Amino acid sequence: MVLKIEFVKQVIRFVLIGSTAAMVNFSIVIALVESGLLSPLYANIIAFSIAFQVSYFGHRYWTFNRTVNTHKIAVPRLLLISGSSFIANEGIFYIFLNVFQLPYILALFLTLTVLPIVSFTFNKLWVFQEG
């Protein structure tokens, strides 16, 4: 029973950190696009880089705080998982924008909801392994 409660807490923490990182990403994209500084796809690259920091430190110290992996191991692994997710998300974002011609805010919202389950699994089992 305790294991189930801990797992549920971990999922909730993952959702909260992931949502926070997504909100950071979302806010930065909107700010950069609406200010006229960058197009949506380029703004998303900048936003991802900043949101990655939120994701790493939030997951490292709160969601998966029992990890045995050092920063030297966890950062490259998270970067690989996040980078792969980002490439997939950027492709999906491109399709929503250019194929379906959705407004960029709707396209971004849909894009940021696609891969969280896969991301949780890789983070839990590989990036932030528990002892």
Side-chain angles (χ1 to χ4, degrees):
M1 184 66 159
V2 172
L3 184 61
K4 287 183 182 181
I5 292 170
E6 285 303 312
F7 180 75
V8 170
K9 286 181 183 178
Q10 199 170 48
V11 169
I12 291 168
R13 289 175 180 161
F14 182 82
V15 169
L16 290 172
I17 294 298
S19 296
T20 301
M23 293 290 283
V24 166
N25 189 306
F26 196 79
S27 299
I28 292 170
V29 169
I30 290 172
L32 291 172
V33 171
E34 293 301 317
S35 67
L37 293 173
L38 292 172
S39 69
L41 289 171
Y42 288 117
N44 200 35
I45 294 168
I46 302 296
F48 169 82
S49 300
I50 296 167
F52 176 82
Q53 304 302 315
V54 172
S55 180
Y56 177 76
F57 288 106
H59 290 317
R60 170 97 189 163
Y61 292 110
W62 195 43
T63 308
F64 303 108
N65 59 357
R66 294 188 177 137
T67 184
V68 295
N69 288 346
T70 63
H71 291 297
K72 187 176 181 180
I73 292 171
V75 169
R77 287 181 178 185
L78 184 62
L79 191 55
L80 177 66
I81 298 305
S82 296
S84 299
S85 293
F86 174 74
I87 290 168
N89 281 346
E90 193 75 351
I92 292 166
F93 192 32
Y94 177 86
I95 291 168
F96 285 151
L97 287 172
N98 294 297
V99 175
F100 295 109
Q101 297 183 353
L102 296 176
Y104 84 90
I105 292 176
L106 176 59
L108 183 61
F109 175 77
L110 293 172
T111 298
L112 293 175
T113 61
V114 172
L115 300 171
I117 294 170
V118 173
S119 181
F120 176 82
T121 303
F122 277 108
N123 279 298
K124 181 168 179 57
L125 300 177
W126 189 56
V127 176
F128 299 108
Q129 292 172 307
E130 293 180 6

